[in-house]
Amino acid sequence: MKKELFNGVGRRKESTARVYLSDGSGTSTVNKKLNIDSHLKRESLVIHAMKPLEVLNLKDKYDLNINVSGGGLTGQAGAIQLGIARALLKVDAEFRPQLKSHGLLTRDAREVERKKYGQPGARKKFQFSKR
């Protein structure tokens, strides 16, 4: 008997996460080797990434297989969060109001502003010298 897979894609900053949900006991594998705690390193990022499952009280009901690439740990955590939320919608469309009320279905569109010429960064200016 083959397990039914539900997938969702999440993106944030330069990160992309492909999340595959299947019935199970709550294990999570990132990039086919690490569990999510050792991949994201900080407890706050793990809590952020797993928020959709926490909101719906499904933490121990689904196994997660996550492929994530690009960006840093914060962007990857945000991408994983959106991927999990989108995969849960495919499991049951009744989850939509709860996920939406917690703001978990909106892609965070903030990107890094480009550096401008004649400046050391995007907004910062070189020190002004009057004389």
Side-chain angles (χ1 to χ4, degrees), residues 47-60:
I47 291 167
H48 180 72
M50 298 304 241
K51 192 170 180 188
L53 292 172
E54 201 68 53
V55 165
L56 299 170
N57 294 320
L58 299 173
K59 206 160 176 84
D60 298 328

Side-chain angles (χ1 to χ4, degrees), residues 102-121:
H102 285 86
L104 299 173
L105 296 176
T106 307
R107 191 227 194 261
D108 191 345
R110 295 177 294 174
E111 296 285 337
V112 176
E113 189 175 333
R114 80 175 197 87
K115 180 198 171 298
K116 279 70 166 196
Y117 57 87
Q119 297 175 196

Side-chain angles (χ1 to χ4, degrees), residues 5-57:
L5 278 178
F6 301 96
N7 69 313
V9 176
R11 291 185 185 87
R12 180 160 197 279
K13 293 186 175 183
E14 292 291 313
S15 301
T16 302
R18 291 185 305 281
V19 178
Y20 301 94
L21 282 178
S22 59
D23 290 327
S25 59
T27 60
S28 58
T29 310
V30 179
N31 294 340
K32 297 182 182 170
K33 51 187 170 202
L34 298 169
N35 69 356
I36 196 160
D37 299 315
S38 56
H39 179 76
L40 291 178
K41 295 181 176 64
R42 294 194 296 274
E43 185 64 31
S44 60
L45 292 179
V46 175
I47 291 167
H48 180 72
M50 298 304 241
K51 192 170 180 188
L53 292 172
E54 201 68 53
V55 165
L56 299 170
N57 294 320

Side-chain angles (χ1 to χ4, degrees), residues 39-107:
H39 179 76
L40 291 178
K41 295 181 176 64
R42 294 194 296 274
E43 185 64 31
S44 60
L45 292 179
V46 175
I47 291 167
H48 180 72
M50 298 304 241
K51 192 170 180 188
L53 292 172
E54 201 68 53
V55 165
L56 299 170
N57 294 320
L58 299 173
K59 206 160 176 84
D60 298 328
K61 196 166 187 277
Y62 293 103
D63 287 341
L64 296 171
N65 189 0
I66 303 164
N67 295 324
V68 66
S69 63
L73 294 180
T74 305
Q76 289 186 356
I80 290 169
Q81 182 190 63
L82 183 59
I84 291 172
R86 286 179 172 173
L88 285 168
L89 278 185
K90 290 182 181 176
V91 172
D92 188 0
E94 302 289 315
F95 295 150
R96 187 173 188 83
Q98 277 182 288
L99 292 171
K100 197 167 173 73
S101 68
H102 285 86
L104 299 173
L105 296 176
T106 307
R107 191 227 194 261

